[in-house]
Amino acid sequence: MYSINAEAPPSTRAWDNGKLLAETTLKTYFKKHEDWPRKVSYTFWAGEFIETEGATFAQALYMLGVEPIRDGMGHVTDIRLIPSEELKRPRIDIVVQTSGQLRDLPPGHVEQSGWYGRRIGRRLIRKLCGGRCRRIGKTAGRKRNIT
């Protein structure tokens, strides 16, 4: 039986393991195709999520080129966009499917995943625009600020 703190994933160990899995996947793909994948898909399973403390989740984050920032208690409070010079590869799009058990397992974790996605999107837009983009898109007839 395993237990997990829903605010901590991916754990630091899971981050290290997920990053290694992503790097191995990318090296294998590059060796075979002489190019980077455009998109990678993942299925997040509840049992695996609990047992590995979010290693597959960490792998997906690293594919996107981001890493978690933690508070003193080890909870993930933010993400950092890994600079391209440090990443040394393109950012890879991901497609995620979650099992129903995972969706229901850690309260708010699927919501946190959406938070990650919004945060990553905003940071990528700011990085790509070099601060020149102030308003983007239309939602219900009004413009949204990207901060």
Side-chain angles (χ1 to χ4, degrees), residues 32-67:
K32 184 175 180 179
H33 301 282
E34 297 181 2
D35 199 5
W36 300 104
R38 290 181 357 175
K39 188 184 310 182
V40 176
S41 63
Y42 291 96
T43 300
F44 293 161
W45 295 98
E48 182 275 337
F49 180 79
I50 293 170
E51 187 175 341
T52 67
E53 300 174 345
T56 307
F57 192 62
Q59 187 178 0
L61 289 175
Y62 189 69
M63 286 287 186
L64 291 169
V66 299
E67 65 183 349

CSV table of all heavy atoms in Angstrom, one decimal, residues 32-67:
chain,number,residue,atom,x,y,z
A,32,LYS,N,17.3,7.0,-33.6
A,32,LYS,CA,16.6,6.3,-34.6
A,32,LYS,C,16.2,7.2,-35.8
A,32,LYS,O,16.2,6.7,-36.9
A,32,LYS,CB,15.4,5.6,-34.0
A,32,LYS,CG,14.6,4.7,-34.9
A,32,LYS,CD,13.5,4.0,-34.2
A,32,LYS,CE,12.8,3.1,-35.2
A,32,LYS,NZ,11.7,2.4,-34.6
A,33,HIS,N,15.7,8.4,-35.5
A,33,HIS,CA,15.1,9.2,-36.5
A,33,HIS,C,16.0,10.5,-36.9
A,33,HIS,O,15.6,11.2,-37.8
A,33,HIS,CB,13.8,9.8,-36.0
A,33,HIS,CG,12.8,8.6,-35.7
A,33,HIS,ND1,12.1,7.9,-36.7
A,33,HIS,CD2,12.4,8.1,-34.5
A,33,HIS,CE1,11.4,7.0,-36.1
A,33,HIS,NE2,11.5,7.1,-34.8
A,34,GLU,N,17.1,10.7,-36.2
A,34,GLU,CA,17.9,11.9,-36.5
A,34,GLU,C,17.1,13.2,-36.4
A,34,GLU,O,17.4,14.1,-37.2
A,34,GLU,CB,18.6,11.7,-37.8
A,34,GLU,CG,19.6,10.5,-37.8
A,34,GLU,CD,20.3,10.4,-39.2
A,34,GLU,OE1,20.2,11.2,-40.1
A,34,GLU,OE2,21.1,9.4,-39.3
A,35,ASP,N,16.2,13.2,-35.6
A,35,ASP,CA,15.3,14.4,-35.3
A,35,ASP,C,14.7,14.2,-34.0
A,35,ASP,O,14.6,13.1,-33.4
A,35,ASP,CB,14.3,14.5,-36.5
A,35,ASP,CG,13.7,15.9,-36.6
A,35,ASP,OD1,14.2,16.8,-35.8
A,35,ASP,OD2,12.8,16.1,-37.4
A,36,TRP,N,14.1,15.3,-33.5
A,36,TRP,CA,13.4,15.3,-32.2
A,36,TRP,C,11.9,15.0,-32.5
A,36,TRP,O,11.4,15.4,-33.5
A,36,TRP,CB,13.5,16.7,-31.5
A,36,TRP,CG,14.9,17.1,-31.2
A,36,TRP,CD1,15.7,18.0,-31.9
A,36,TRP,CD2,15.8,16.5,-30.2
A,36,TRP,NE1,16.9,18.1,-31.3
A,36,TRP,CE2,17.0,17.2,-30.3
A,36,TRP,CE3,15.6,15.6,-29.2
A,36,TRP,CZ2,18.1,16.9,-29.4
A,36,TRP,CZ3,16.6,15.3,-28.3
A,36,TRP,CH2,17.9,16.0,-28.4
A,37,PRO,N,11.3,14.3,-31.5
A,37,PRO,CA,9.8,14.1,-31.7
A,37,PRO,C,9.1,15.4,-31.6
A,37,PRO,O,9.5,16.3,-30.9
A,37,PRO,CB,9.5,13.2,-30.5
A,37,PRO,CG,10.5,13.4,-29.5
A,37,PRO,CD,11.8,13.8,-30.3
A,38,ARG,N,8.0,15.5,-32.3
A,38,ARG,CA,7.2,16.8,-32.2
A,38,ARG,C,6.2,16.7,-31.1
A,38,ARG,O,5.9,17.7,-30.5
A,38,ARG,CB,6.4,17.0,-33.5
A,38,ARG,CG,7.2,17.3,-34.7
A,38,ARG,CD,6.4,17.5,-35.9
A,38,ARG,NE,5.0,17.3,-35.6
A,38,ARG,CZ,4.0,17.5,-36.4
A,38,ARG,NH1,4.2,17.9,-37.6
A,38,ARG,NH2,2.7,17.2,-36.1
A,39,LYS,N,5.8,15.5,-30.7
A,39,LYS,CA,4.8,15.3,-29.7
A,39,LYS,C,5.0,13.9,-29.1
A,39,LYS,O,5.3,13.0,-29.7
A,39,LYS,CB,3.4,15.4,-30.4
A,39,LYS,CG,2.3,15.4,-29.5
A,39,LYS,CD,0.9,15.3,-30.2
A,39,LYS,CE,0.8,16.4,-31.3
A,39,LYS,NZ,-0.5,16.4,-32.0
A,40,VAL,N,4.7,13.9,-27.8
A,40,VAL,CA,4.8,12.6,-27.0
A,40,VAL,C,3.5,12.5,-26.2
A,40,VAL,O,3.0,13.5,-25.7
A,40,VAL,CB,6.0,12.6,-26.1
A,40,VAL,CG1,6.1,11.4,-25.2
A,40,VAL,CG2,7.3,12.7,-26.9
A,41,SER,N,3.0,11.3,-26.1
A,41,SER,CA,1.8,11.1,-25.3
A,41,SER,C,2.0,10.3,-24.1
A,41,SER,O,2.9,9.5,-24.1
A,41,SER,CB,0.7,10.5,-26.2
A,41,SER,OG,1.1,9.2,-26.6
A,42,TYR,N,1.3,10.6,-23.1
A,42,TYR,CA,1.4,9.9,-21.8
A,42,TYR,C,0.0,9.5,-21.3
A,42,TYR,O,-1.0,10.2,-21.5
A,42,TYR,CB,2.0,10.8,-20.7
A,42,TYR,CG,3.4,11.1,-21.0
A,42,TYR,CD1,3.8,12.3,-21.6
A,42,TYR,CD2,4.4,10.2,-20.6
A,42,TYR,CE1,5.1,12.6,-21.9
A,42,TYR,CE2,5.8,10.5,-20.8
A,42,TYR,CZ,6.1,11.7,-21.5
A,42,TYR,OH,7.4,12.0,-21.7
A,43,THR,N,0.0,8.4,-20.6
A,43,THR,CA,-1.2,8.0,-19.8
A,43,THR,C,-0.8,8.0,-18.3
A,43,THR,O,0.2,7.3,-18.0
A,43,THR,CB,-1.8,6.6,-20.2
A,43,THR,OG1,-2.1,6.6,-21.6
A,43,THR,CG2,-3.0,6.3,-19.4
A,44,PHE,N,-1.5,8.8,-17.5
A,44,PHE,CA,-1.2,8.9,-16.1
A,44,PHE,C,-2.1,7.9,-15.4
A,44,PHE,O,-3.3,8.0,-15.4
A,44,PHE,CB,-1.4,10.3,-15.6
A,44,PHE,CG,-0.5,11.3,-16.1
A,44,PHE,CD1,-0.8,12.6,-16.0
A,44,PHE,CD2,0.8,11.0,-16.7
A,44,PHE,CE1,0.1,13.6,-16.4
A,44,PHE,CE2,1.6,11.9,-17.1
A,44,PHE,CZ,1.3,13.3,-17.0
A,45,TRP,N,-1.5,6.9,-14.7
A,45,TRP,CA,-2.3,5.9,-14.0
A,45,TRP,C,-2.2,6.2,-12.5
A,45,TRP,O,-1.1,6.5,-12.0
A,45,TRP,CB,-1.7,4.5,-14.3
A,45,TRP,CG,-1.9,4.1,-15.7
A,45,TRP,CD1,-1.0,4.2,-16.7
A,45,TRP,CD2,-3.1,3.6,-16.3
A,45,TRP,NE1,-1.6,3.8,-17.9
A,45,TRP,CE2,-2.9,3.4,-17.7
A,45,TRP,CE3,-4.4,3.3,-15.8
A,45,TRP,CZ2,-3.8,2.9,-18.5
A,45,TRP,CZ3,-5.3,2.8,-16.6
A,45,TRP,CH2,-5.1,2.6,-18.0
A,46,ALA,N,-3.2,5.9,-11.7
A,46,ALA,CA,-3.2,6.2,-10.3
A,46,ALA,C,-2.2,5.4,-9.6
A,46,ALA,O,-1.4,5.9,-8.7
A,46,ALA,CB,-4.6,5.9,-9.7
A,47,GLY,N,-2.1,4.1,-9.8
A,47,GLY,CA,-1.2,3.2,-9.1
A,47,GLY,C,0.3,3.7,-9.3
A,47,GLY,O,1.1,3.7,-8.4
A,48,GLU,N,0.6,3.9,-10.6
A,48,GLU,CA,2.0,4.4,-10.9
A,48,GLU,C,2.3,5.7,-10.3
A,48,GLU,O,3.3,6.0,-9.8
A,48,GLU,CB,2.1,4.4,-12.4
A,48,GLU,CG,3.5,4.8,-12.9
A,48,GLU,CD,3.7,6.3,-13.0
A,48,GLU,OE1,2.7,7.1,-13.1
A,48,GLU,OE2,4.9,6.8,-13.0
A,49,PHE,N,1.3,6.6,-10.3
A,49,PHE,CA,1.4,7.9,-9.8
A,49,PHE,C,1.8,7.9,-8.3
A,49,PHE,O,2.7,8.5,-7.8
A,49,PHE,CB,0.2,8.7,-10.0
A,49,PHE,CG,0.2,10.1,-9.5
A,49,PHE,CD1,0.8,11.1,-10.1
A,49,PHE,CD2,-0.4,10.5,-8.3
A,49,PHE,CE1,0.9,12.4,-9.7
A,49,PHE,CE2,-0.4,11.7,-7.8
A,49,PHE,CZ,0.3,12.7,-8.5
A,50,ILE,N,1.0,7.0,-7.6
A,50,ILE,CA,1.3,6.9,-6.1
A,50,ILE,C,2.6,6.2,-5.9
A,50,ILE,O,3.4,6.7,-5.0
A,50,ILE,CB,0.1,6.1,-5.5
A,50,ILE,CG1,-1.2,6.9,-5.5
A,50,ILE,CG2,0.5,5.7,-4.0
A,50,ILE,CD1,-2.4,6.1,-5.1
A,51,GLU,N,2.9,5.1,-6.6
A,51,GLU,CA,4.1,4.3,-6.3
A,51,GLU,C,5.3,5.1,-6.6
A,51,GLU,O,6.3,5.0,-5.9
A,51,GLU,CB,4.0,3.0,-7.1
A,51,GLU,CG,5.1,2.1,-6.8
A,51,GLU,CD,5.0,0.8,-7.6
A,51,GLU,OE1,3.9,0.4,-8.0
A,51,GLU,OE2,6.0,0.1,-7.7
A,52,THR,N,5.3,5.9,-7.7
A,52,THR,CA,6.6,6.6,-8.1
A,52,THR,C,6.6,8.0,-7.7
A,52,THR,O,7.5,8.8,-8.0
A,52,THR,CB,6.7,6.5,-9.6
A,52,THR,OG1,5.7,7.3,-10.2
A,52,THR,CG2,6.7,5.1,-10.1
A,53,GLU,N,5.5,8.5,-7.0
A,53,GLU,CA,5.4,9.9,-6.5
A,53,GLU,C,5.4,10.9,-7.7
A,53,GLU,O,5.9,12.0,-7.6
A,53,GLU,CB,6.5,10.2,-5.5
A,53,GLU,CG,6.5,9.3,-4.3
A,53,GLU,CD,7.6,9.5,-3.3
A,53,GLU,OE1,8.6,10.2,-3.7
A,53,GLU,OE2,7.5,9.1,-2.2
A,54,GLY,N,4.9,10.4,-8.8
A,54,GLY,CA,4.7,11.3,-10.0
A,54,GLY,C,5.8,11.3,-11.0
A,54,GLY,O,6.0,12.3,-11.7
A,55,ALA,N,6.5,10.2,-11.2
A,55,ALA,CA,7.7,10.1,-12.1
A,55,ALA,C,7.2,10.4,-13.6
A,55,ALA,O,7.9,11.1,-14.3
A,55,ALA,CB,8.4,8.8,-12.0
A,56,THR,N,6.1,9.8,-13.9
A,56,THR,CA,5.6,10.1,-15.3
A,56,THR,C,5.2,11.5,-15.5
A,56,THR,O,5.4,12.1,-16.5
A,56,THR,CB,4.4,9.1,-15.6
A,56,THR,OG1,4.8,7.8,-15.4
A,56,THR,CG2,4.0,9.2,-17.1
A,57,PHE,N,4.6,12.1,-14.4
A,57,PHE,CA,4.2,13.5,-14.5
A,57,PHE,C,5.5,14.4,-14.6
A,57,PHE,O,5.5,15.3,-15.4
A,57,PHE,CB,3.5,13.9,-13.2
A,57,PHE,CG,2.8,15.2,-13.1
A,57,PHE,CD1,1.8,15.5,-14.0
A,57,PHE,CD2,3.2,16.1,-12.2
A,57,PHE,CE1,1.2,16.7,-14.0
A,57,PHE,CE2,2.6,17.4,-12.2
A,57,PHE,CZ,1.6,17.7,-13.1
A,58,ALA,N,6.5,14.0,-13.9
A,58,ALA,CA,7.8,14.7,-14.0
A,58,ALA,C,8.4,14.6,-15.4
A,58,ALA,O,8.9,15.5,-16.0
A,58,ALA,CB,8.8,14.1,-13.0
A,59,GLN,N,8.3,13.4,-16.0
A,59,GLN,CA,8.8,13.1,-17.4
A,59,GLN,C,8.1,14.1,-18.3
A,59,GLN,O,8.7,14.7,-19.2
A,59,GLN,CB,8.5,11.7,-17.7
A,59,GLN,CG,9.1,11.2,-19.0
A,59,GLN,CD,8.9,9.8,-19.3
A,59,GLN,OE1,8.3,9.0,-18.5
A,59,GLN,NE2,9.4,9.3,-20.4
A,60,ALA,N,6.7,14.2,-18.2
A,60,ALA,CA,6.0,15.1,-19.1
A,60,ALA,C,6.4,16.5,-18.9
A,60,ALA,O,6.5,17.2,-19.9
A,60,ALA,CB,4.5,14.9,-18.8
A,61,LEU,N,6.6,16.9,-17.7
A,61,LEU,CA,7.0,18.3,-17.4
A,61,LEU,C,8.4,18.6,-18.1
A,61,LEU,O,8.6,19.6,-18.7
A,61,LEU,CB,7.1,18.6,-16.0
A,61,LEU,CG,5.8,18.7,-15.2
A,61,LEU,CD1,6.1,18.9,-13.7
A,61,LEU,CD2,4.9,19.9,-15.7
A,62,TYR,N,9.3,17.6,-18.0
A,62,TYR,CA,10.6,17.8,-18.6
A,62,TYR,C,10.6,17.9,-20.1
A,62,TYR,O,11.3,18.6,-20.7
A,62,TYR,CB,11.6,16.8,-18.1
A,62,TYR,CG,13.0,17.1,-18.5
A,62,TYR,CD1,13.7,18.1,-17.9
A,62,TYR,CD2,13.7,16.3,-19.4
A,62,TYR,CE1,15.0,18.4,-18.3
A,62,TYR,CE2,15.0,16.6,-19.8
A,62,TYR,CZ,15.6,17.7,-19.2
A,62,TYR,OH,16.9,18.0,-19.6
A,63,MET,N,9.7,17.1,-20.7
A,63,MET,CA,9.5,17.1,-22.1
A,63,MET,C,9.1,18.6,-22.5
A,63,MET,O,9.6,19.0,-23.6
A,63,MET,CB,8.4,16.2,-22.6
A,63,MET,CG,8.8,14.7,-22.6
A,63,MET,SD,10.0,14.3,-23.9
A,63,MET,CE,10.1,12.6,-23.7
A,64,LEU,N,8.3,19.2,-21.7
A,64,LEU,CA,7.9,20.6,-22.0
A,64,LEU,C,9.0,21.6,-21.8
A,64,LEU,O,8.9,22.7,-22.2
A,64,LEU,CB,6.6,20.9,-21.2
A,64,LEU,CG,5.3,20.2,-21.5
A,64,LEU,CD1,4.3,20.5,-20.4
A,64,LEU,CD2,4.8,20.7,-22.9
A,65,GLY,N,10.0,21.2,-21.0
A,65,GLY,CA,11.1,22.1,-20.8
A,65,GLY,C,10.9,22.9,-19.5
A,65,GLY,O,11.3,24.1,-19.5
A,66,VAL,N,10.2,22.4,-18.6
A,66,VAL,CA,10.0,23.1,-17.3
A,66,VAL,C,10.3,22.2,-16.1
A,66,VAL,O,10.4,21.0,-16.3
A,66,VAL,CB,8.5,23.6,-17.1
A,66,VAL,CG1,8.1,24.5,-18.2
A,66,VAL,CG2,7.5,22.4,-17.1
A,67,GLU,N,10.6,22.8,-15.0
A,67,GLU,CA,10.9,22.1,-13.8
A,67,GLU,C,10.2,22.7,-12.6
A,67,GLU,O,9.9,23.9,-12.6
A,67,GLU,CB,12.4,22.0,-13.5
A,67,GLU,CG,13.1,23.3,-13.2
A,67,GLU,CD,14.6,23.2,-13.0
A,67,GLU,OE1,15.1,22.0,-12.9
A,67,GLU,OE2,15.2,24.2,-13.0
